[in-house]
Amino acid sequence: MSQSFEGLSGKVITPCSNEYEQARQEWNRAIQKFPIVIVYCYSVEDVRNAVCWAVCNGIKIRIRSGGHHYQGYSTGNDVLVIDVSQMKQLKLDEADNSVFLQSGVENREIYDYLGAREYPFPGGTCPTVGVSGYTLGGGWGYSSRYLGLGCDSLIALEMIDYQGNLLKAENNHNPDLFWACRGAGGGNFGIVTSMTFKLPAKIAQVTLIELEYLDAPSSVMARFLNIWQEWLTDLDQRMTMNASLYNSADDGKGIYGKGLFYGSAAEAAEILQPFELNGVALSLKEMSFLEAMQQIQDAYPDSEKFQSTGRFVNRKYSMKELNIIAELIDERAKGSVYAAVSVYALGGKVNEVGRQCTAFYYRDAAYIMGIQSVWEEDRYASINRFWLYKKFQYLKEVTWGSYINFPYNCLANYEEEYYGENMCRLRQIARQYDPLNIFSFPQAIR
Ligand SMILES: Cc1cc2nc3c(=O)[nH]c(=O)nc-3n(C[C@H](O)[C@H](O)[C@H](O)COP(=O)(O)OP(=O)(O)OC[C@H]3O[C@@H](n4cnc5c(N)ncnc54)[C@H](O)[C@@H]3O)c2cc1C
């Protein structure tokens, strides 16, 4: 019997629609799923209708904003995808020092909107990541050490729950839900339709940092990581960087770092002095926050096929350990065009919030470290995934927990890995706000 889509509103895409093939894609093209129906919502009413339709018809729901989930948990086979990416309203309230956005707004859109008015924003690095998906998982970006995680600037959100009710969550209203939505990832409690963030102070100029070592052997990579871990110990919180030790089919082996400094190029140069190993190319350019974000974002491709992870690091490593880490990418998997170990600086403002103050538990980690492999031809997918799985075993051994925004489907105790000691409270909140488990996906809070 064919499915009736009566009751759905917004733009309804079914397998018979011309747009279905495009609409079912995630940013990670290695994910190929076939939903029963995809609904592009334009209003809160469309979201409510979609939830009610799914519940009445016994169809599982997946929630999608920017579609960047590493494992594709914003889609699935035989599900209804409730897609909020067309809900794009943005409203600045300078009197209230806040900005309101609907949950379909992407990083690039919030940067353009606020940047044109000289406001920075603690968003992510990729232009098309959804601000709501990013913030729900904590949200690391190049302003994190200076402004905190994305979720640290969140002051309120609105959500459609499993009954189609619109709930508001903020410090004084559904505070437990608000707590959970700051770091426990998307998809667990309901469908966020809007978020309100406090505004940071305006800034005229920042310094965009790029750092590169070409043809770096693993010994230089290990030395780099050693400098990195020492450098982070008492780093000026105006500085946030990440770096990748890469092995690329096009460019060979090297190290590439990027960052943002809320200060002058001259000051940044001084702070970055420890990285002056032989052969480093350092670029420091003063520009507006918006220009810096545009340059960072322009480096991203439209899509990729990849497998990737992100772990928290809470201790310093010996040179022996650093050599092993650097050697993880000595050889790429067959068919891989790019493999990398990447590090993302934490600390600063991220560390000023307690582990239990929001659902984002790993506040006192020094940095995030992940490994990834990118391939182009589908026939190499399983080889690459297995390569990553093997390398991950070592990283897991020497790290602490996993970052929910860099999720990995092979984690045995995923709730503990993502949420640490916040897991029990999160389970209670999930039971309270979604008692019928309407919002579920492979790594949902149970
Ligand atoms: C190329 C790339 C670059 C990235 N860079 C960064 C980075 O710099 N920093 C960082 O922290 N992360 C980064 N990420 C990870 C990214 O922040 C997370 O994958 C985030 O969850 C993506 O949000 P999305 O809305 O784009 O994705 P989606 O796939 O749409 O959603 C991700 C998850 O959130 C849920 N969700 C989405 N919208 C809602 C909503 N409105 N209500 C409830 N649940 C919702 C989904 O169900 C899913 O579980 C990157 C990812 C990619 C692919």
Side-chain angles (χ1 to χ4, degrees):
M1 204 177 71
S2 70
Q3 181 74 54
S4 159
F5 299 111
E6 205 179 319
L8 290 172
S9 59
K11 188 170 178 180
V12 179
I13 308 282
T14 71
C16 302
S17 313
N18 289 336
E19 290 142 273
Y20 180 76
E21 197 44 37
Q22 180 59 34
R24 70 177 184 84
Q25 301 296 339
E26 299 269 296
W27 194 89
N28 183 359
R29 292 291 200 271
I31 309 293
Q32 290 297 324
K33 301 287 177 187
F34 297 87
I36 292 174
V37 54
I38 299 160
V39 178
Y40 286 102
C41 300
Y42 292 84
S43 66
V44 169
E45 204 48 39
D46 292 339
V47 177
R48 175 178 289 131
N49 289 340
V51 172
C52 294
W53 179 88
V55 172
C56 289
N57 288 278
I59 306 286
K60 288 197 161 51
I61 291 174
R62 293 291 162 81
I63 311 163
R64 188 169 72 183
S65 173
H68 285 63
H69 194 283
Y70 278 13
Q71 301 293 338
Y73 294 163
S74 50
T75 186
N77 290 328
D78 305 323
V79 299
L80 159 67
V81 174
I82 302 182
D83 185 304
V84 296
S85 64
Q86 302 308 305
M87 295 174 66
K88 296 237 183 243
Q89 216 182 74
L90 271 159
K91 213 162 67 196
L92 180 66
D93 186 341
E94 287 187 293
D96 185 49
N97 204 38
S98 67
V99 60
F100 166 95
L101 53 84
Q102 281 188 315
S103 53
V105 169
E106 297 169 359
N107 276 329
R108 189 189 287 285
E109 292 159 340
I110 184 79
Y111 285 137
D112 286 353
Y113 182 76
L114 289 180
R117 294 156 177 88
E118 290 198 350
Y119 289 107
F121 183 75
T125 56
C126 170
T128 47
V129 160
V131 176
S132 54
Y134 162 86
T135 304
L136 288 163
W140 180 94
Y142 290 115
S143 300
S144 286
R145 290 175 41 84
Y146 186 57
L147 298 176
L149 297 170
C151 73
D152 295 335
S153 289
L154 187 68
I155 47 182
L157 60 81
E158 288 179 313
M159 174 185 279
I160 290 286
D161 76 357
Y162 72 108
Q163 293 178 302
N165 297 318
L166 185 68
L167 306 181
K168 186 159 187 163
E170 56 190 352
N171 269 334
N172 300 324
H173 206 88
N174 293 315
D176 43 2
L177 180 62
F178 185 52
W179 175 87
C181 288
R182 286 173 291 160
N188 281 304
F189 312 104
I191 302 164
V192 174
T193 54
S194 75
M195 289 183 158
T196 304
F197 293 88
K198 72 174 180 223
L199 282 175
K202 287 188 179 189
I203 178 120
Q205 285 214 311
V206 295
T207 300
L208 177 65
I209 302 155
E210 278 180 282
L211 171 158
E212 185 148 31
Y213 300 85
L214 294 173
D215 300 320
S218 56
S219 57
V220 171
M221 293 181 179
R223 269 177 71 200
F224 173 86
L225 286 178
N226 194 32
I227 295 168
W228 168 267
Q229 64 180 0
E230 296 301 333
W231 181 71
L232 281 176
T233 312
D234 51 9
L235 178 61
D236 187 323
Q237 70 176 34
R238 291 174 297 164
M239 169 87 72
T240 307
M241 282 197 72
N242 68 350
S244 294
L245 322 178
Y246 61 80
N247 177 347
S248 145
D250 289 338
D251 304 319
K253 286 186 189 169
I255 305 171
Y256 180 68
K258 227 177 217 178
L260 204 65
F261 180 61
Y262 281 77
S264 70
E267 271 183 288
E270 220 166 282
I271 295 171
L272 288 160
Q273 240 172 6
F275 287 107
E276 289 191 358
L277 294 170
N278 269 350
V280 67
L282 191 60
S283 151
L284 302 170
K285 291 188 193 139
E286 290 179 8
M287 59 185 78
S288 71
F289 176 81
L290 178 56
E291 282 171 311
M293 286 304 112
Q294 284 166 341
Q295 289 199 20
I296 288 166
Q297 296 176 107
D298 287 349
Y300 278 91
D302 292 339
S303 64
E304 258 176 11
K305 291 176 182 169
F306 72 94
Q307 177 83 300
S308 192
T309 66
R311 301 282 297 173
F312 292 102
V313 176
N314 66 337
R315 68 171 175 90
K316 290 199 180 148
Y317 297 120
S318 65
M319 277 315 292
K320 189 172 165 216
E321 289 172 314
L322 293 175
N323 276 306
I324 298 174
I325 293 168
E327 284 163 11
L328 291 175
I329 50 146
D330 254 0
E331 310 246 319
R332 295 191 311 274
K334 193 167 177 207
S336 166
V337 293
Y338 180 86
V341 166
S342 300
V343 288
Y344 308 75
L346 291 170
K349 276 274 185 308
V350 178
N351 194 15
E352 286 177 12
V353 179
R355 283 182 185 177
Q356 262 109 33
C357 291
T358 66
F360 187 93
Y361 179 71
Y362 297 97
R363 291 283 177 177
D364 35 357
Y367 56 101
I368 299 167
M369 176 160 61
I371 184 160
Q372 74 179 117
S373 187
V374 179
W375 61 92
E376 286 170 352
E377 293 180 48
D378 293 334
R379 64 194 165 116
Y380 296 120
S382 45
I383 293 178
N384 275 266
R385 289 188 174 119
F386 186 58
W387 177 92
L388 194 120
Y389 178 78
K390 281 194 304 185
K391 308 288 173 181
F392 180 73
Q393 301 315 309
Y394 182 72
L395 279 193
K396 185 168 183 301
E397 208 177 284
V398 296
T399 50
W400 190 20
S402 268
Y403 179 32
I404 182 74
N405 269 3
F406 298 165
Y408 186 39
N409 60 346
C410 294
L411 292 174
N413 303 313
Y414 67 84
E415 288 170 297
E416 213 176 308
E417 297 278 10
Y418 292 139
Y419 313 122
E421 289 169 26
N422 287 334
M423 180 180 79
C424 291
R425 184 170 174 199
L426 283 166
R427 281 185 174 163
Q428 281 165 10
I429 295 169
R431 274 197 289 274
Q432 183 186 344
Y433 287 92
D434 182 23
L436 304 181
N437 205 18
I438 299 297
F439 301 107
S440 116
F441 55 95
Q443 290 189 336
I445 295 169
R446 292 173 290 207

